[in-house]
Amino acid sequence: MDHEFWLERWRTNQIGFHQADFNARLTQHWPTLGLATDARVFVPLCGKSRDMLWLAGAGHAVTGVELSSTAVEAFFAEAGAPHSRRQAGPFAFYDGGRIGIYCGDFFALTEREVAGTAGVFDRGALIALPPAMRRRYAEHLLNILPVGAQSLLLTIEYDQARASGPPFSVQPEEVADLFGARCSVELLERSPTQEMPPRFYVQGIHEAGESTYRIIKER
Ligand SMILES: C[S@@+](CC[C@H](N)C(=O)[O-])C[C@H]1O[C@@H](n2cnc3c(N)ncnc32)[C@H](O)[C@@H]1O
């Protein structure tokens, strides 16, 4: 899953992962984190997710990171949100006021870009990545986030032998393995998924689960 894979997906509009509506698990579980309404929130691998609008509407200052400029520009265009663009180190930073998006590689982010982050919303970030990259993703995320930052992590679980990702199946044991040494990990909900990619049916997968976690960085 290299950069070109994702850039090509955006160029050719193969973005079945994009949701027209706010994510139901976000709106249901976000209040559980108990964050201040003006707390700073980070959305890794944000695409053009409208969930950033929901978070900003709740009062948060939102910072996203996304590889594809097509996605970032579509986000602001579709939101009708005025913004400016400037270079910020290896990133193009799109500044829309309450919502700012770093366009570039998540793995190039440093503590500086996510300073003050109190909340993280991960939908389609961890599960977008193959196994070795998931470990690298979790390690990098935990290296740059402030202690105390809380994440709402959404995962999907299915028979990985029947279909390939993305989205990848991520089991609770892996979430514990990736985050458990430095974080408290709490499973908030596990249920049959509402977000099954249509191709899964063709590949013989008729049911899949989804889990929602609250993860707090403790060290
Ligand atoms: C499955 S999509 C999910 C997008 C968004 N979170 C959502 O819910 O709609 C994964 C996104 O991650 C972006 N991406 C993949 N690798 C990345 C990286 N290394 N740095 C920044 N963005 C990346 C892709 O371009 C794509 O938009």
Side-chain angles (χ1 to χ4, degrees), residues 3 6-7 10 17-19 43-49 51 65-68 71 104-107 123-125 128-129 133:
H3 291 188
W6 290 106
L7 295 173
W10 281 102
F17 52 79
H18 178 71
Q19 293 185 310
V43 183
L45 282 60
C46 62
K48 59 171 187 173
S49 171
D51 296 328
V65 65
E66 167 57 46
L67 208 49
S68 164
D105 185 3
F106 164 82
F107 293 101
R123 183 230 171 225
L129 304 172
M133 277 186 81

Side-chain angles (χ1 to χ4, degrees), residues 65 87 116 144 163-164 218:
V65 65
Q87 203 58 33
I144 60 175
S164 58
E218 293 182 333

Side-chain angles (χ1 to χ4, degrees), residues 146-189:
V147 168
Q150 303 193 46
S151 301
L152 191 70
L153 168 67
L154 312 188
T155 61
I156 183 168
E157 297 134 12
Y158 63 90
D159 182 357
Q160 192 75 90
R162 283 186 174 272
S164 58
F168 290 91
S169 177
V170 176
Q171 301 292 334
E173 298 73 24
E174 181 177 346
V175 174
D177 182 44
L178 292 177
F179 295 101
R182 297 177 70 181
C183 305
S184 70
V185 177
E186 180 187 356
L187 177 64
L188 297 176
E189 188 186 11

Side-chain angles (χ1 to χ4, degrees), residues 9-188:
R9 295 283 288 256
W10 281 102
R11 262 199 303 271
T12 55
N13 205 34
Q14 294 176 66
I15 53 165
F17 52 79
H18 178 71
Q19 293 185 310
D21 294 325
F22 300 137
N23 185 279
R25 289 192 277 165
L26 169 66
T27 57
Q28 180 186 349
H29 291 292
W30 189 257
T32 310
L33 304 189
L35 298 176
T37 49
D38 61 352
R40 185 164 285 280
V41 171
F42 175 50
V43 183
L45 282 60
C46 62
K48 59 171 187 173
S49 171
R50 289 175 49 77
D51 296 328
M52 292 188 282
L53 296 173
W54 186 87
L55 288 162
H60 297 299
V62 179
T63 301
V65 65
E66 167 57 46
L67 208 49
S68 164
S69 59
T70 305
V72 179
E73 285 165 15
F75 170 78
F76 285 109
E78 289 170 20
H83 61 281
S84 59
R85 180 185 184 277
R86 66 174 182 273
Q87 203 58 33
F91 298 96
F93 182 64
Y94 290 72
D95 187 350
R98 196 171 279 284
I99 301 176
I101 302 179
Y102 288 94
C103 186
D105 185 3
F106 164 82
F107 293 101
L109 284 176
T110 66
E111 288 170 340
R112 194 157 41 118
E113 289 84 23
V114 295
T117 293
V120 176
F121 179 56
D122 179 331
R123 183 230 171 225
L126 182 70
I127 65 169
L129 304 172
M133 277 186 81
R134 293 202 286 273
R135 179 161 297 284
R136 201 176 150 224
Y137 167 86
E139 282 175 1
H140 189 64
L141 184 64
L142 294 179
N143 285 341
I144 60 175
L145 283 179
V147 168
Q150 303 193 46
S151 301
L152 191 70
L153 168 67
L154 312 188
T155 61
I156 183 168
E157 297 134 12
Y158 63 90
D159 182 357
Q160 192 75 90
R162 283 186 174 272
S164 58
F168 290 91
S169 177
V170 176
Q171 301 292 334
E173 298 73 24
E174 181 177 346
V175 174
D177 182 44
L178 292 177
F179 295 101
R182 297 177 70 181
C183 305
S184 70
V185 177
E186 180 187 356
L187 177 64
L188 297 176

